[in-house]
Amino acid sequence: MEFVNAFSVSLQAVWNDSGFSAFTMGNGIMIAVGLILLYLAFVKEFEPLLLGPIAFGCILANFPNTGFLEEMGLMKAINFGIQYEIFPPLIFLGIGAMTDFGPLLARPSTLLLGAAAQIGVFIALVGAMLLGFTVQQAGAIGIIGGADGPTAIYLSVQMAPELLGAIAVAAYSYMSLVPLIQPPVMQLLTSQKEREVQMEQLRPVTKFERCMFPIVSVILISLLLPPIASLLGMLMLGNLFRESGVTDRLSDTAQNSLCNIVTIFLATGTGMTMTAESFLVPQTLMIIGLGLVAFIFGTAGGVLFGKIMCRATGWKVNPLIGSAGVSAVPMAARVSQVVGMRAKPGNYLLMHAMGPNVAGVIGTAVAAGTMLAMLK
Amino acid sequence: MSQPVTTNPFIIMMINMTIVFAVLIALGLVINLIHYVDPTRPDRQKQEAPAEPAPAPAPVAPEPVAEAVPENGLTPEVVAVIAAALASYGYGPGAIHAIRPVERNGWKASGRMPGASQNL
């Protein structure tokens, strides 16, 4: 009899400690969401490097009684990396080491296209505020339009941590859908003649310019917008590693090993924020809708400013490169190239589009810094 | 979290877009400034270069080469060719101290021969 009692009590204790006892419908739905995202990442190859760990983190976050974020351990350490904004600047270090600022330095006027494409950020902000989000939440939602995952996470953590999961998923999902979202907008806003504009060869950029740009720009922007000094600082440090020519090992580490390790932690940690309580709310659908609005208007803003530059320069700028102003390096630049080639075979726009593309990264960081200064 | 400056979304949009444009325009000016002061700019280097390139040192007769005597297996023609080749790389006659054939060791040569013939 005693054995049966002990067995029954033990069994009950195991059941009470198990995840099944506290499993809710919400957990089930979120695990299904995680599985769908895994499918999109690994089968459909939508940003698999990021969406894959995010999806897996989402599944892990919805197992009850794991105590992931209560006791010190790997998951909590990863969460610290997000909570204290450690991972996004480290990702920017890798992005800087991978980015060639040459096209931007050769044609600085393309910075204007990177600025114009930020209109999507602020239209989404207006839309979010009209839908009842607080000004801080609206700012964090708007930055989805910047098509820059680390910046979106960086801003969300500071302004609306409760929306981090939804914002990160929307940002990365739409970034992977850039080749589907942008071309119709680009076709709609440009004429065949504009799409056929052939651009002149870019001038060669010297090593002096390549090395001076990250140094001078980080001094200028960090003094102006200290809230984004860590993001911009790491971006430019990574770029200096690349361009100096004497720190190849550091550049290699920043753009490969370190960037990959931090990507795993950042994406898994972001997925871990997608608990049923925070994700299964009507706001999530609104955020996903507003993210799409932000992308469409960002693309439109870049293309329309490209049309202005086309006229102002006497048809020397192809307006299609304006769409690359929405960051998403280098996918958005590739979309400009594909649409340009479709209009006129042999019209290579890729290098020209890389200028607004990297300008978009800086523009999004500046927009984030401005919002942090104004709204936080 | 402190109080935001304004909660009017349109004002926020206008201010932010203005700042983004201003910062990126300033960055454009910085890029132009860097290009302007760049001491390694190709057109600047062209201007600073002398109008006429310095004449390449003419191939010199093997006058200072005391060792270049036929008894070492070096004919004056061979010495002239070597001196001309060095002159084409910018070395003057003063840089040539001696021209002598590489010492050939009979034992080494006899060792190399079978190896070379095996690889043929």
Side-chain angles (χ1 to χ4, degrees):
Chain A
M1 196 61 195
E2 193 185 332
F3 170 75
V4 174
N5 270 347
F7 188 77
S8 146
V9 169
S10 303
L11 211 59
Q12 199 163 2
V14 169
W15 173 257
N16 287 340
D17 280 355
S18 78
F20 288 109
S21 65
F23 197 79
T24 62
M25 178 68 94
N27 294 135
I29 293 171
M30 284 312 293
I31 288 173
V33 168
L35 292 172
I36 292 168
L37 291 178
L38 271 185
Y39 172 78
L40 292 176
F42 294 129
V43 180
K44 293 289 175 187
E45 296 189 18
F46 286 178
E47 293 274 342
L49 300 179
L50 294 156
L51 215 49
I54 288 178
F56 211 83
C58 168
I59 294 171
L60 288 176
N62 286 284
F63 296 143
N65 297 341
T66 52
F68 280 155
L69 301 182
E70 287 140 31
E71 293 157 26
M72 194 56 210
L74 175 67
M75 298 307 178
K76 193 155 185 175
I78 290 175
N79 187 256
F80 276 154
I82 293 175
Q83 207 179 332
Y84 293 101
E85 298 144 24
I86 296 165
F87 295 147
L90 286 175
I91 294 276
F92 259 54
L93 181 74
I95 293 172
M98 286 183 240
T99 304
D100 177 11
F101 282 118
L104 178 69
L105 298 174
R107 188 176 280 136
S109 59
T110 54
L111 277 161
L112 296 172
L113 297 171
Q118 303 312 314
I119 190 74
V121 170
F122 300 110
I123 286 185
L125 178 143
V126 172
M129 287 187 75
L130 295 178
L131 285 171
F133 286 96
T134 65
V135 64
Q136 288 87 6
Q137 289 175 332
I141 293 167
I143 209 74
I144 296 171
D148 186 344
T151 308
I153 292 170
Y154 187 82
L155 193 70
S156 305
V157 167
Q158 297 199 45
M159 291 185 34
E162 67 282 4
L163 302 181
L164 175 62
I167 289 172
V169 167
Y172 284 121
S173 305
Y174 288 131
M175 276 164 68
S176 65
L177 293 173
V178 158
L180 297 178
I181 297 171
Q182 286 197 317
V185 182
M186 294 158 79
Q187 300 267 6
L188 191 72
L189 295 175
T190 52
S191 65
Q192 180 68 20
K193 191 185 170 194
E194 286 168 338
R195 289 195 289 275
E196 286 179 1
V197 171
Q198 205 137 8
M199 294 180 69
E200 285 169 14
Q201 182 95 15
L202 294 170
R203 71 166 172 85
V205 177
T206 65
K207 189 174 175 182
F208 177 85
E209 289 175 275
R210 289 176 185 275
C211 292
M212 286 305 289
F213 173 70
I215 299 168
V216 177
S217 60
V218 79
I219 293 170
L220 176 76
I221 299 176
S222 299
L223 284 173
L224 198 65
L225 296 166
I228 52 157
S230 65
L231 273 185
L232 251 298
M234 294 309 263
L235 179 79
M236 296 306 175
L237 177 63
N239 192 251
L240 198 56
F241 285 162
R242 173 200 171 92
E243 301 296 354
S244 68
V246 292
T247 49
D248 287 346
R249 281 164 53 197
L250 300 186
S251 172
D252 179 54
T253 304
Q255 56 183 292
N256 295 304
S257 328
L258 181 64
C259 195
N260 291 341
I261 291 168
V262 179
T263 299
I264 294 170
F265 290 156
L266 178 69
T268 311
T270 304
M272 295 283 294
T273 64
M274 292 168 66
T275 54
E277 307 83 64
S278 65
F279 202 83
L280 291 180
V281 288
Q283 288 175 325
T284 302
L285 285 178
M286 291 185 205
I287 290 168
I288 289 170
L290 286 165
L292 183 61
V293 170
F295 262 71
I296 291 171
F297 278 93
T299 305
V303 173
L304 290 174
F305 205 90
K307 284 165 78 88
I308 295 171
M309 281 181 71
C310 176
R311 301 296 193 287
T313 57
W315 294 81
K316 284 184 180 166
V317 171
N318 190 317
L320 291 177
I321 66 166
S323 66
V326 294
S327 312
V329 182
M331 186 112 58
R334 273 194 219 131
V335 171
S336 301
Q337 158 81 8
V338 168
V339 178
M341 286 278 277
R342 212 179 290 152
K344 185 179 181 183
N347 192 6
Y348 295 99
L349 294 176
L350 187 64
M351 282 314 284
H352 304 290
M354 282 308 291
N357 210 190
V358 294
V361 176
I362 300 172
T364 306
V366 171
T370 315
M371 286 198 281
L372 279 171
M374 269 185 76
L375 311 176
K376 191 182 167 189
Chain B
M1 214 171 270
S2 60
Q3 197 67 19
V5 179
T6 173
T7 51
N8 184 327
F10 295 100
I11 293 176
I12 293 171
M13 182 167 82
M14 293 306 292
I15 293 173
N16 277 276
M17 279 307 285
T18 308
I19 293 174
V20 169
F21 264 99
V23 171
L24 293 191
I25 288 170
L27 216 52
L29 295 176
V30 165
I31 292 172
N32 283 325
L33 185 69
I34 292 171
H35 180 60
Y36 181 74
V37 300
D38 182 2
T40 64
R41 223 166 65 187
D43 56 339
R44 186 163 293 169
Q45 281 187 331
K46 263 183 210 163
Q47 283 170 3
E48 285 169 4
E52 280 180 28
V60 186
E63 201 177 275
V65 186
E67 291 86 350
V69 285
E71 68 221 36
N72 286 342
L74 290 169
T75 60
E77 289 79 21
V78 171
V79 172
V81 167
I82 293 170
L86 289 170
S88 71
Y89 279 92
Y91 295 101
I96 303 170
H97 297 292
I99 297 176
R100 50 177 176 263
V102 176
E103 274 184 34
R104 294 187 191 279
N105 187 320
W107 287 105
K108 280 183 190 168
S110 64
R112 280 189 196 122
M113 285 300 283
S117 57
Q118 276 171 10
N119 291 328
L120 287 172

